[in-house]
Amino acid sequence: MLSIPTHKTKSEHERLVYLAEEYEKKGYQVNLYPTDANLPESLRGFVVGLVAEAEGELVVADVRNREHLTRNGAEDLRALARKLEMLPNSRFDLVVFNPSLSK
């Protein structure tokens, strides 16, 4: 079983695993909690939830509960989005949920 990284809550992890399964159903090869070795060179150093690849498309995705959306400030998301804009056929999918509505 995959352990939950310290930067993720249990509910974030569970939703990320579900998201990974959804990408896999659509035919993507998914790498959950990729290391720098599994990221394109320009994205190394970023902490992302998953990377999904299919037919020349790269999707970087993460799940954050609303309370943790600003854990590192929004700058980490903006910086990642800027890097992805420079990569052809790539996008960033961010799933935000309200933990108080999830109980």
Side-chain angles (χ1 to χ4, degrees), residues 4-5 7-8 19 27 31-32 35-36 39 45 48 54 64 72 74 80-81 86-87 92-94 98-99 103:
I4 301 172
H7 68 279
K8 288 289 180 204
L19 184 63
N31 187 331
L32 197 60
T35 63
D36 277 351
L39 291 171
V48 299
R64 294 193 188 178
N72 299 322
L80 179 58
M86 293 185 264
L87 289 175
F92 179 53
D93 290 348
L94 176 64
N98 186 340
K103 295 178 181 177

Side-chain angles (χ1 to χ4, degrees), residues 21-32:
E21 291 169 353
E22 291 300 306
Y23 283 119
E24 287 174 344
K25 286 178 188 175
K26 293 178 181 178
Y28 287 85
Q29 293 291 321
V30 177
N31 187 331
L32 197 60

Side-chain angles (χ1 to χ4, degrees), residues 39-40 42-51 58-62 64 74-87 90-94:
L39 291 171
S42 63
L43 300 180
R44 292 182 182 153
F46 285 98
V47 176
V48 299
L50 66 82
V51 172
L58 172 72
V59 179
V60 176
D62 206 354
R64 294 193 188 178
E75 186 54 36
D76 64 327
L77 298 176
R78 285 192 291 271
L80 179 58
R82 283 191 298 268
K83 290 288 187 178
L84 281 165
E85 285 175 356
M86 293 185 264
L87 289 175
S90 67
R91 73 174 196 263
F92 179 53
D93 290 348
L94 176 64

Side-chain angles (χ1 to χ4, degrees), residues 2 18 26 33 51 82 95 97:
L2 188 64
Y18 176 81
K26 293 178 181 178
Y33 301 121
V51 172
R82 283 191 298 268
V95 176
F97 68 98

